[in-house]
Amino acid sequence: MSDLVHKKCVPCEGGVPALTRGEAAGYLRELESWRLSEDGKSIRRELLMKDFRAAIELIKAVAEVAEAEDHHPDLHLTGYRKLAVELSTHAVGGLTENDFILAAKIESLPKALKY
C-alpha cells in the first residue's frame, strides 16, 4: 500500500504551483489504476462495479473519506454500475499532492467490482 494513504490532505487556497506532468507521473507510480488526463490537470479512475448498490455504497464511502480530508472528487455514475472518480485541485487549476492522497485513500476502500 502506498505511503500516501497515511498522509492527510492540507488546505489549499491557491498560491502554490500545480504539479508538473513529471511530478504527477511519479505519484501515479504508486496508484496503478489511476490515469493522468491529457491536459495533465486531473487524475481519473474508472471502475465497473458489481451492481448499482455496490456503486452507491462506494460513492458513500468515498464521500466519507472526502469529507474527512476536506478534498472532494467529481463522481460520475453511468450505466447503473460504471463509476468514474476524478480528482484535481481547483484552487490551483491542476494537481497537488492532496489529489494523490485522496486517490490512495479511495484505493484502500473495499470495492465490489464486476470481474
Side-chain angles (χ1 to χ4, degrees):
M1 180 57 63
S2 168
D3 288 337
L4 290 167
V5 79
H6 302 292
K7 292 186 173 187
K8 179 93 174 122
C9 290
V10 296
C12 181
E13 301 298 326
V16 296
L19 296 174
T20 66
R21 267 188 178 281
E23 291 167 330
Y27 281 107
L28 282 174
R29 284 195 269 289
E30 298 183 50
L31 300 165
E32 294 177 11
S33 299
W34 292 78
R35 301 290 173 249
L36 187 63
S37 65
E38 275 191 41
D39 64 6
K41 294 183 178 185
S42 65
I43 56 173
R44 179 180 176 102
R45 166 93 197 266
E46 295 180 359
L47 304 109
L48 183 59
M49 305 303 296
K50 179 180 173 188
D51 53 29
F52 180 76
R53 183 174 298 278
I56 295 300
E57 290 303 316
L58 183 56
I59 289 170
K60 287 189 221 176
V62 168
E64 289 294 320
V65 171
E67 280 295 302
E69 293 297 323
D70 197 26
H71 192 64
H72 303 95
D74 292 334
L75 302 169
H76 308 273
L77 179 60
T78 59
Y80 84 89
R81 65 181 183 164
K82 296 176 185 175
L83 180 60
V85 182
E86 292 180 331
L87 288 161
S88 67
T89 302
H90 302 287
V92 302
L95 292 164
T96 64
E97 186 179 50
N98 286 349
D99 299 301
F100 296 94
I101 291 169
L102 186 55
K105 290 180 185 231
I106 291 169
E107 278 305 296
S108 72
L109 295 172
K111 301 166 192 66
L113 301 175
K114 174 74 174 177
Y115 292 101

